[in-house]
Amino acid sequence: LSVRPRPRDAWAACAAAPAEEAAMGKKKSSKQAAPKPKPKLDTMFDCLFCQTGKAVEVKMVRLEQIGFLKCRVCGVTFQSRVSYLSEAVDVYSDWVDETEEANFRKDDGGDPLDKASLGIAAK
């Protein structure tokens, strides 16, 4: 008589499989990625009047809602109102805008407080 081999048990085959095959169906847990650091904005800028680089310092006083700007070399100062969203670059850009506006008025030849240069009609 010939003896046939028995069919293998399905569970025994899984238990004998290598670890790689057993973990194939499982979802791997991964650590949450660390948040990227926010880029820092400058607080030192170039002066428009003396052309010195990184000479203008901006300080924000949030409780008083005022931003102060001062050049260490030529001593020019500027103040601007700030909100809770404002940054130092906003105070600097306000200063640049005010300087350009003052230069435009001066080039126009009119008095800065002249009603005609401000677009107010005379009575």
Side-chain angles (χ1 to χ4, degrees), residues 87-102:
E87 294 292 333
V89 70
D90 297 322
V91 176
Y92 181 75
S93 65
D94 289 344
W95 179 53
V96 171
D97 293 342
E98 288 288 327
T99 304
E100 287 179 359
E101 187 177 331

Side-chain angles (χ1 to χ4, degrees), residues 55-118:
V56 175
E57 185 176 12
V58 177
K59 291 186 180 179
M60 310 281 281
V61 182
R62 300 239 183 235
L63 294 175
E64 297 177 13
Q65 295 182 343
I66 297 176
F68 294 100
L69 177 140
K70 183 174 181 180
C71 178
R72 291 181 286 135
V73 178
C74 66
V76 69
T77 59
F78 178 76
Q79 293 181 13
S80 176
R81 291 194 57 82
V82 296
S83 69
Y84 69 98
L85 295 174
S86 298
E87 294 292 333
V89 70
D90 297 322
V91 176
Y92 181 75
S93 65
D94 289 344
W95 179 53
V96 171
D97 293 342
E98 288 288 327
T99 304
E100 287 179 359
E101 187 177 331
N103 287 337
F104 178 73
R105 281 193 228 136
K106 185 176 75 172
D107 290 344
D108 226 9
D111 183 23
L113 299 177
D114 184 26
K115 291 182 179 180
S117 65
L118 294 174

Side-chain angles (χ1 to χ4, degrees), residues 44-48 50-56 71-73 92:
M44 300 291 290
F45 302 97
D46 300 340
C47 183
L48 299 175
C50 66
Q51 303 298 322
T52 306
K54 304 289 184 191
V56 175
C71 178
R72 291 181 286 135
V73 178
Y92 181 75

Side-chain angles (χ1 to χ4, degrees), residues 16-29:
E20 293 173 3
E21 293 177 13
M24 189 191 263
K26 293 183 180 179
K27 182 178 179 182
K28 293 183 180 180
S29 62

